[in-house]
C-alpha cells in the first residue's frame, strides 16, 4: 500500500502549481505508474503514437496524450492492469532536418529534445510507465529490427532492385509514394522528381489480399481509416493482355514477348486505338532510339520526372504525351496502333502500359482529341446508336457491344467474361488480380537512421551481416556533409569492412539507412519488454500484453504507419514470433487543434505574443492586424499556443480540462482563451466546495441509506450524484465523450451550490452531511482521470491515506436513479425566486398553479398581470409579468 502524507489544513486559494508539483513528485517517488504482467488480472494496453523529438511539445501532443491518459487512469480504477508507455520516434528525416535547421548534430539535437520533452510530459501529469521508455535511435532498439531485416532477407521478403523512385534533392533521399504530397516532399515541401536507383524493398505485396480482407474485421477502427487503407491497397479484378510489337527495322529482337497490359475493361479491347507507356517504362527510350521522336521523347521524360507522379498528382494535371515512333498490334482487332509515352501512365500501376480506348474512357478521349487519334465505339446504349465523330465525351455506361466481331450484340457485362475466356483460350493473356499497393521501398540516403545490415563483396556479392555482429552501429560522432548529405559513404572506418563469407577486407557496407517507418512498425511490441537482450521481445510478455487494446493518434498516419504496422505484425506472425495478425484492436483518430491566424502587411504571420489585441495592431511594427481563417496550429502560420505558457499561467489540470471539454476527441478543437478561463473557474468552484464543507464532512462516512429518509434538496443531491456517476462512467467507457462527462460533473457542482446551507443545521443534519460526503467523495473520483492533481489533493483532504488512483471507480445505485419527485425552480422574468418539489408524474397545469401560488413568487409578481407561463419539462417554471 502506498501511503500519502496527510495535509494539515486546506488553503482557501486554489494554487495549481503547488499542488501539481507536489503530486508529480509523489507519483515519481512512489513508482505508482510502473506495471508488470499479471496473468491473474485482466490487462488493458493503451498507447498514443509516440512523437518525433524534433522540438518542444505542441498542443496537438497535449490533446492526444491527455485523451490517452484519461482512459489509462479510468481503466486502472476499473480494476485493469494498465500498460501505458511512452517513447521517442527518434530516427529519420524529421529529427535530422530539424537538427540541420538549428545547426547542430542530429544525435545531440535528438537527445537534448528527448530530455526536454520528457520533462514537459511529466509536468502535465501523464501516467506513463517511464521504466519502459524507448528511443528508436539507440542501438539496443534498432539491433532487433536489423535482426528482423536479416530474417526477412533469408525469406526473400527483403530484396534489392533497381527502380524508379521519388527523389527529394533538398532532403537528399528517396521517398515512398505515401511520402509525396502533391508532388512535394512530405517533410520539406520541396519538389520531388523521378530517379532510377538501386533500393531495398520489403514485400508488402505478399500480404495485400490479407491486409485488405482484414480491413472489414477492424470493427474498432474508424471507417474513414479502413476506407483509406482499402483504397491504397486498391484491388482490381481484370485481364492481362499481350499486345505484339510491330517489328522495327534494325531492331529484330525487340521484346518478342510484346507489351503486357492490365485492364478492368476487356469488353472495350476492340476500341483500343493507341497504347500509352509510363515515361519510366524501360521500352520507351528503346522505341524512340534512332527515330525522329528520340529528342522529344527524352525531353518529355526529363520534364515529367519533375512532376507529381502520384495517382493524386496525375489526376489533377493536364494529360499529355509524345509518340515513341513505334507501333503494336491490337491482338483482337488486328489493327496497328501507335505507342505513346504519356504522363498519366504509371509504372507503379499494372504493368506501366495503358490500353487506351478513347470512346469509353474520358482521359483517353481527351488525349485522342488532343493528338488527333482514332476513336472507335464498341459499347453503345441499348436504345440508341453512338457515332464517334459526334461524341462530345466518352461513353462510360453499360450497353450493347458493337464493332467487336463475334461479340457484337452481347451485353457488355457478359462480354467482359466472354472476351476474357477467349483471350485465355487463344493464349493472348489471362485473368488476374492487380493491386495498387507496391512493395515498400525502405532505403534512405540519409545519415540519421538505422544502418541496413548488408555488406557488398566483389567476390561474394551481397552478403548479410552475421547476426552475432549486430547491431551495425551508426557512428554518432560523424558530421553531416554540405547540404545535409550523409557522411556514411565517405567514412572508411564505417563503410569499409571484412566480408563475413570470404574474409576479404575490402568489402563495403550498405550506407543507406532504413526508412523511419520501420522503427515505428514494431515499437508497440518492444514496450512489452524494453530491456530484453535476447530478442525483439519476451514471448511471455507479448502473449500477455498484445495486441494493443486502444491506440490513439492522427488520421494522417492512416496509410503510412498504420498499414506498415499491420504488415510487420503479419511478418512476425509468419515467423511464429507473435500469435495475432492485427496489432491494434481499437483506434481513435483525434481531431486537430486549431486557431485563427493573425498577420500584418509588414511582418506577415504573427505569433500571439506579437499581437496587441486590445488595439488591433502588430507589436513589432504598429501596423493594423488582419485575422485570418481558423486553421490547424502550425509553426509556419504562427497560430500556435505554447503548452508551457498554459501550464505556467493556468496549471496542467486546466490545460487538460480545456483540451477535453472544448470538443469530442474525434472533432477538431478550436482554441479559445475564454474556454481556458472557464476551465480554471470551474476548478476554483470545485475547490471552494471543499474549503467550505471539509471540516463538516471530514470525519463522517458517506451516505448509503434509504433515500426516503432525506429531505427534498438532499435527496435531489444524492440522486444527482448517482446519476452523475452513471453518466461519467458511460461517457468515458463506451463513447470517449469526455466533454459530456465533464459537463455532468459541472451540473453536480451546480447542484451543490444551489443547496441552502441551513439544511445542514437542522436536527437531521448528520444524514444531510453524509450525502454531502458522498457527493464530495464522488467528485474527485470522477475527475481524477481528467484533472488528476486537484483530484489527488481533494481526496487527501477528505482524510484518505492512499492515492486516489488506487481507489476503485465509484458505483451507482439503479434504485437511486428513479425519481419519485422532481425539484422545480421558479423564475419570475427569468430570475430565480423559489423552488419546490412535485411528483415525477405531476400534470403540467398543477405544476404551473403551484408555481403561481408559491408565497415567495407572489411577492415578485406583486399583483401584476401574468403575460405567460413557460414550463420546461422536469426543470423549471418561468413566469413572465
Amino acid at each position: 500500500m502506498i501511503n500519502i502524507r496527510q495535509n494539515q489544513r486546506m488553503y482557501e486559494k486554489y494554487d495549481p502549481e503547488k499542488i501539481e508539483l507536489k503530486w508529480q513528485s509523489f507519483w515519481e517517488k512512489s513508482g505508482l505508474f510502473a506495471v508488470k504482467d499479471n496473468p491473474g488480472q485482466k490487462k488493458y494496453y493503451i498507447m498514443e503514437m509516440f512523437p518525433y523529438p524534433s522540438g518542444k511539445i505542441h498542443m496537438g501532443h497535449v490533446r492526444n496524450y491527455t485523451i490517452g491518459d484519461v482512459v489509462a487512469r479510468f481503466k486502472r480504477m476499473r480494476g485493469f492492469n494498465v500498460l501505458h508507455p511512452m517513447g521517442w520516434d527518434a530516427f529519420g528525416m524529421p529529427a535530422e532536418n530539424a537538427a540541420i535547421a538549428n545547426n547542430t548534430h542530429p544525435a545531440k539535437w535528438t537527445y537534448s529534445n528527448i530530455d526536454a520533452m520528457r520533462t514537459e510530459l511529466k509536468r502535465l501529469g501523464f501516467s506513463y510507465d517511464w521504466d519502459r521508455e524507448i528511443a528508436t535511435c539507440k542501438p539496443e532498439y534498432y539491433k532487433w529490427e536489423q535482426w528482423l531485416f536479416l530474417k526477412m532477407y533469408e525469406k526473400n521478403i527483403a530484396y534489392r532492385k533497381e527502380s524508379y523512385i521519388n527523389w527529394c534533392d533538398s532532403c537528399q533521399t528517396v521517398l515512398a509514394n505515401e511520402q509525396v504530397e502533391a508532388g512535394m516532399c512530405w517533410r520539406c515541401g520541396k519538389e520531388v522528381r523521378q530517379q532510377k536507383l538501386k533500393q531495398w524493398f520489403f514485400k508488402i505485396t505478399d500480404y495485400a489480399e490479407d491486409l485488405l480482407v482484414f480491413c472489414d474485421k477492424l470493427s474498432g477502427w474508424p471507417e474513414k481509416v479502413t476506407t483509406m487503407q482499402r483504397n491504397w491497397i486498391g484491388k482490381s479484378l481484370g485481364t492481362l493482355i499481350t499486345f505484339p510489337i510491330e517489328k522495327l527495322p534494325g531492331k529484330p529482337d525487340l521484346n518478342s514477348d510484346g507489351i503486357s497490359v492490365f485492364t478492368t475493361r476487356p469488353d472495350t479491347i476492340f476500341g483500343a486505338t493507341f497504347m500509352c507507356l509510363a515515361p519510366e517504362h524501360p521500352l520507351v527510350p528503346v522505341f524512340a532510339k534512332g527515330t525522329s521522336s528520340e529528342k522529344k521523347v527524352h525531353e518529355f521524360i526529363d520534364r515529367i520526372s519533375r512532376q507529381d507522379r502520384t495517382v493524386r498528382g496525375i489526376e489533377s494535371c493536364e494529360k499529355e504525351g509524345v509518340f515513341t515512333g513505334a507501333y503494336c498490334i491490337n491482338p483482337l482487332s488486328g489493327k496497328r496502333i501507335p505507342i505513346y509515352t504519356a504522363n498519366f501512365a504509371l509504372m507503379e500501376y499494372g504493368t506501366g502500359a495503358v490500353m487506351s480506348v478513347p470512346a469509353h474512357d474520358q482521359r483517353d478521349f481527351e488525349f485522342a482529341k488532343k493528338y488527333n487519334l482514332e476513336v472507335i465505339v464498341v459499347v453503345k446504349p441499348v436504345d440508341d446508336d453512338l457515332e464517334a465523330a459526334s461524341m462530345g465525351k466518352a461513353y462510360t455506361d453499360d450497353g450493347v457491344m458493337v464493332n467487336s466481331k463475334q461479340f457484337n450484340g452481347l451485353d457488355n457485362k457478359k462480354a467482359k467474361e466472354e472476351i476474357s475466356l477467349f483471350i485465355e483460350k487463344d493464349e493472348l493473356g489471362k485473368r488476374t488480380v492487380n493491386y495498387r499497393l507496391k512493395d515498400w521501398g525502405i532505403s534512405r540516403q540519409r545519415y540519421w537512421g538505422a544502418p541496413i545490415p548488408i555488406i557488398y563483396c566483389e567476390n561474394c556479392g551481397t552478403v548479410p551481416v552475421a547476426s552475432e555482429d549486430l547491431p551495425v552501429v551508426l557512428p554518432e560522432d560523424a558530421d553531416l556533409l554540405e547540404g545535409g548529405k550523409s557522411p556514411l559513404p565517405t567514412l572508411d572506418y564505417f563503410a569499409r569492412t571484412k566480408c563475413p563469407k570470404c574474409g576479404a577486407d575490402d568489402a563495403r557496407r550498405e550506407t543507406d539507412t532504413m526508412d523511419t517507418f520501420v522503427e515505428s512498425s514494431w515499437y508497440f511490441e518492444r514496450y512489452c519488454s524494453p530491456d530484453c537482450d535476447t530478442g525483439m521481445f519476451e514471448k511471455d510478455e507479448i502473449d500477455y500484453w498484445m495486441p494493443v487494446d486502444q491506440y490513439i493518434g492522427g488520421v494522417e498516419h492512416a496509410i503510412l504507419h498504420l498499414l506498415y504496422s499491420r504488415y510487420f505484425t503479419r511478418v512476425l506472425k509468419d515467423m511464429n514470433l507473435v500469435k495475432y495478425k492485427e496489432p491494434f484492436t481499437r483506434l481513435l483518430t483525434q481531431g486537430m487543434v486549431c486557431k485563427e491566424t493573425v498577420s500584418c502587411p509588414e511582418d506577415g504571420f504573427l505569433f500571439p505574443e506579437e499581437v496587441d489585441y486590445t488595439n488591433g495592431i502588430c507589436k513589432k511594427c504598429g501596423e493594423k492586424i488582419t485575422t485570418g481563417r481558423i486553421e490547424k496550429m502550425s509553426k509556419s502560420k504562427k497560430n500556435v499556443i505554447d503548452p508551457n505558457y498554459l501550464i505556467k499561467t493556468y496549471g496542467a489540470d486546466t490545460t487538460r480540462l480545456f483540451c477535453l471539454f472544448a470538443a469530442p476527441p474525434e472533432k477538431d478543437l478550436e482554441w479559445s482563451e475564454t474556454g481556458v478561463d472557464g476551465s480554471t473557474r470551474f476548478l476554483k468552484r470545485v475547490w471552494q466546495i471543499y474549503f467550505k464543507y471539509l471540516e463538516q464532512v471530514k470525519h463522517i462516512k458517506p451516505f448509503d441509506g434509504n433515500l426516503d429518509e432525506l429531505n427534498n434538496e438532499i435527496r435531489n443531491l444524492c440522486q444527482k450524484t448517482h446519476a452523475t456517476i452513471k453518466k461519467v462512467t458511460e461517457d468515458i467507457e463506451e463513447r470517449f465523450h469526455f466533454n459530456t462527462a465533464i459537463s455532468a460533473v459541472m451540473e453536480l457542482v451546480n447542484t451543490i451550490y444551489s443547496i441552502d446551507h441551513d439544511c445542514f443545521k437542522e436536527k437531521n443534519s448528520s444524514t444531510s452531511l453524509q450525502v454531502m460526503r458522498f457527493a464530495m467523495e464522488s467528485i474527485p473520483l470522477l475527475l481524477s482521470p481528467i484533472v488528476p492533481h486537484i483530484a489527488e489533493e481533494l481526496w487527501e483532504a477528505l482524510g484518505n491515506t492512499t492515492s486516489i488512483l488506487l481507489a476503485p471507480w465509484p458505483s451507482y445505485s439503479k434504485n437511486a436513479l428513479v425519481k419519485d419527485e422532481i425539484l422545480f425552480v421558479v423564475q419570475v422574468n427569468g430570475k430565480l425566486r423559489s423552488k419546490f418539489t412535485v411528483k415525477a408524474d405531476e400534470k403540467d397545469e398543477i405544476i404551473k398553479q403551484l408555481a403561481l401560488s408559491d408565497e415567495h413568487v407572489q411577492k415578485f409578481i406583486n399583483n401584476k398581470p401574468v403575460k405567460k407561463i413557460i414550463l420546461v419539462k422536469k426543470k423549471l417554471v418561468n413566469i413572465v409579468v
Side-chain angles (χ1 to χ4, degrees), residues 416-477:
K416 281 184 183 181
E417 180 68 18
E418 293 291 327
I419 291 174
S420 294
L421 287 170
F422 179 84
I423 287 170
E424 285 190 322
K425 183 180 177 183
D426 279 28
E427 298 183 349
L428 302 173
K430 62 179 181 179
R431 284 174 288 188
T432 188
V433 177
N434 187 68
Y435 296 94
R436 179 188 174 207
L437 180 69
K438 298 303 172 187
D439 283 341
W440 175 13
I442 65 153
S443 295
R444 298 294 179 267
Q445 292 65 44
R446 295 297 292 250
Y447 160 68
W448 192 239
I452 296 173
I454 289 291
I455 293 169
Y456 302 110
C457 172
E458 286 192 10
N459 301 322
C460 306
T462 302
V463 183
V465 171
S467 58
E468 59 267 23
D469 292 335
L470 298 178
V472 178
V473 178
L474 181 75
E476 292 190 3
D477 57 350

Side-chain angles (χ1 to χ4, degrees), residues 344-368:
F344 59 79
L346 294 168
M347 275 306 296
E348 68 180 49
Y349 186 78
T351 63
V354 176
M355 176 188 90
S356 297
V357 185
H360 304 293
D361 182 281
Q362 186 60 29
R363 179 194 60 194
D364 295 346
F365 182 83
E366 292 169 7
F367 192 90

Side-chain angles (χ1 to χ4, degrees), residues 582-626:
E582 294 294 344
F584 313 119
T585 303
R586 288 175 51 132
L587 173 70
L588 171 67
T589 54
Q590 85 282 355
M592 298 181 293
V593 182
C594 305
K595 186 183 183 299
E596 78 280 354
T597 58
V598 179
S599 61
C600 82
E602 183 72 24
D603 296 291
F605 289 116
L606 301 171
F607 288 111
E609 59 269 22
E610 296 173 337
V611 179
D612 178 350
Y613 288 98
T614 304
N615 298 304
I617 60 172
C618 172
K619 289 181 180 178
K620 296 164 72 175
C621 67
E623 292 282 343
K624 277 198 168 186
I625 60 167
T626 300

Side-chain angles (χ1 to χ4, degrees), residues 703-712 714-715 764 767-768 770:
F703 179 78
D704 64 353
N706 190 334
L707 268 67
D708 292 338
E709 303 171 13
L710 307 175
N711 68 37
N712 291 336
I714 295 302
R715 183 191 302 172
N764 293 325
T767 305
S768 298
Q770 284 183 319

